[in-house]
Amino acid sequence: MTNHVVILGSTNVDQFLTVERYAKPGETLHIEEAQQPYGGGKGANQAIATARMNSHTTFITKIGKDGIANFMLDDFNKANIDTSYVFESEDTKTGQAFITVDSQGQNMIYVYGGANMTIDESDVMTAQDAIINADFIVAQLEVPIPAITKAFEIARQHGVTTILNPAPAKDLPQSLLKLIDIIIPNETEAEVLSGLAVTDEQSMIDNANYFLSLGIKTVLITLGEQGTYFATQHDHQLIKAYKVKAIDTTAAGDTFIGAFVSKLTKEMDNLAEAIDFGNKASALTVQKSGAQSSIPLASDISNN
């Protein structure tokens, strides 16, 4: 089975800094390493992950004409991503992210949206044929909500399953909420959206019930080293993570989503299996540094 997946999302050039620990307010610390720019952005990460899992992947995104993302276009092509809908902004620079990783593998990220924030409904309409012919469409919140809403409207009209990764978390309008089939927040994003902290099993259930009450059919809450909790109207379960030593958690969530949507059947009758596959993929990602450079191939997962 080869899934056809459309990713609507951001393309960023990532600037990485490695530090022993994070500075306190007013404190100056030396940087251990300033790495060369990497390809990033939640949309691009998820497109790369989905393509490396052997899904037919189309990416809808927007970059600037500044040329700094040209190396990423090469990476997209190497991954066999359909780049027909990588648009260029006439007057806005390519998005960038500034990422600091400490010795424990935890990261802090600051994002300049740039051209990502100029994606609009007309861009989505240009790409509507790709959406109509997909099995799944995945979006995040690093592009404008009106564009996501339009894309999900087209998907719903043609029986395409809609998946939202609400990152970075923000209030969502009813016009978008009613179009979501699957929502995939992490525990922090779930709390921002529901107002309920994720601290134990009962709070996972309460969070999931909040999203289910909005009409969303399936809820996945990613919990890092604990695993992934899922809930539907008829089932709920915590799928445990694989225990590994994390070096860099950047792109772990994006890798999970790409692997999950690649394994999931259109009927969604293998939900637990697809989540486990996503957990295994993200466990490989956190053992390497970088964003897209750390995303594994499907064969890497099969061999581990």
Side-chain angles (χ1 to χ4, degrees), residues 14-18 31 33-38 101 248 289-290 293:
D14 288 354
Q15 307 284 346
F16 276 87
L17 303 176
T18 303
I31 295 169
E33 183 180 5
Q35 301 178 20
Q36 292 295 315
Y38 286 90
V101 181
D248 181 0
S289 296
S293 60

Side-chain angles (χ1 to χ4, degrees), residues 7-12 41-46 107 109 111 113 116-117 138-145 148 152 163-172 176 180 182-193 211 220 222 251-254 257:
I7 307 292
L8 167 60
S10 57
T11 295
N12 291 328
K42 289 185 179 298
N45 293 345
Q46 291 175 20
N107 63 62
I109 305 174
V111 177
N116 297 307
M117 300 312 297
V138 182
Q140 323 78 37
L141 299 179
E142 290 184 340
V143 298
I145 286 178
I148 299 171
F152 280 18
I163 302 175
L164 182 70
N165 171 218
K170 63 182 75 174
D171 289 338
L172 301 177
L176 177 57
I180 301 169
I182 303 174
I183 194 165
I184 310 179
N186 63 23
E187 66 266 46
T188 301
E189 294 151 0
E191 180 179 355
V192 170
L193 293 170
F211 292 111
L220 276 62
T222 57
D254 298 327
I257 289 172

Side-chain angles (χ1 to χ4, degrees), residues 205-237:
I205 294 171
D206 293 341
N207 257 280
N209 286 340
Y210 168 81
F211 292 111
L212 293 173
S213 72
L214 299 175
I216 298 171
K217 300 181 181 69
T218 304
V219 182
L220 276 62
I221 303 176
T222 57
L223 303 164
E225 62 184 14
Q226 294 183 63
T228 303
Y229 176 82
F230 81 85
T232 66
Q233 292 289 357
H234 308 292
D235 193 14
H236 65 91
Q237 186 179 347

